[in-house]
Amino acid sequence: MPIVVDIDVMLARRKMSVGELADRVGITPANLAVLKNGRAKAVRFTTLAALCEVLECQPGDLLRWEAGDAADG
């Protein structure tokens, strides 16, 4: 998939655990792991906004597009 999720990068910069982020955003650690590992097919804007608020970042800090094989998606 050409969309890459960089939540790990922001977690490291903020010195925050996955569990703490999940608690503060209000989602389960399992759902956060699905998103964090790039296995999610979609993300709600409310979830993205909450992630940005807690991590004090912009959506582009968490998601980026990477050119790849068209057969991936």
Side-chain angles (χ1 to χ4, degrees):
M1 159 119 17
I3 300 296
V4 178
V5 182
D6 287 328
I7 291 176
D8 281 339
V9 174
M10 292 308 298
L11 282 171
R13 287 183 183 162
R14 302 296 186 253
K15 295 181 173 65
M16 188 180 298
S17 71
V18 172
E20 180 183 353
L21 179 60
D23 285 345
R24 292 179 61 183
V25 169
I27 61 176
T28 67
N31 283 341
L32 181 56
V34 168
L35 180 59
K36 185 175 76 75
N37 295 323
R39 294 188 317 262
K41 296 291 182 191
V43 60
R44 294 176 192 259
F45 279 178
T46 53
T47 301
L48 183 58
L51 287 165
C52 290
E53 183 177 352
V54 170
L55 293 170
E56 298 178 354
C57 66
Q58 295 294 312
D61 295 326
L62 301 177
L63 304 172
R64 64 186 159 87
W65 178 79
E66 225 175 58
D69 187 359
D72 288 346

